[in-house]
Amino acid sequence: MYVIRLADGTLRVPQSLSSDDGRLIGNAYVELSPGDPDYDRWLPEALTEEEMAARRRRWREENDELEREFLAFKAEQDS
């Protein structure tokens, strides 16, 4: 999950909730507005929705080569 910066400056920050024994209960996004105490901490790694879409598009387009590399690596590990 990534920190997403919306057009109005709001950040959507991923947050996980786990049980006392460490099991994952769920993932969600919390919204932080400019002025929130944690806003400046998360801002440097935030991506716009357009940047996220471009990354997803690039991952889909470049996935074939990555998959071939992974399968070659896996074959080496299996032998």
Side-chain angles (χ1 to χ4, degrees):
M1 295 176 74
Y2 294 91
V3 178
I4 301 168
R5 186 176 66 247
L6 303 177
D8 68 356
T10 300
L11 300 180
R12 285 192 179 152
V13 179
Q15 185 174 25
S16 296
L17 180 63
S18 57
S19 64
D20 291 336
D21 64 359
R23 290 180 297 157
L24 179 66
I25 294 174
N27 291 318
Y29 280 96
V30 295
E31 291 191 353
L32 301 178
S33 299
D36 187 286
D38 290 330
Y39 187 87
D40 290 336
R41 187 180 88 181
W42 291 104
L43 184 59
E45 64 183 88
L47 300 171
T48 65
E49 292 177 289
E50 292 79 15
E51 291 169 327
M52 286 297 302
R55 279 188 177 197
R56 281 191 297 274
R57 200 170 30 256
R58 190 180 78 236
W59 291 332
R60 281 192 304 269
E61 292 167 358
E62 297 174 5
N63 186 48
D64 293 341
E65 180 61 27
L66 181 61
E67 185 176 4
R68 280 192 292 276
E69 289 178 26
F70 171 74
L71 292 174
F73 169 78
K74 186 173 183 281
E76 285 179 18
Q77 299 301 311
D78 290 343
S79 57

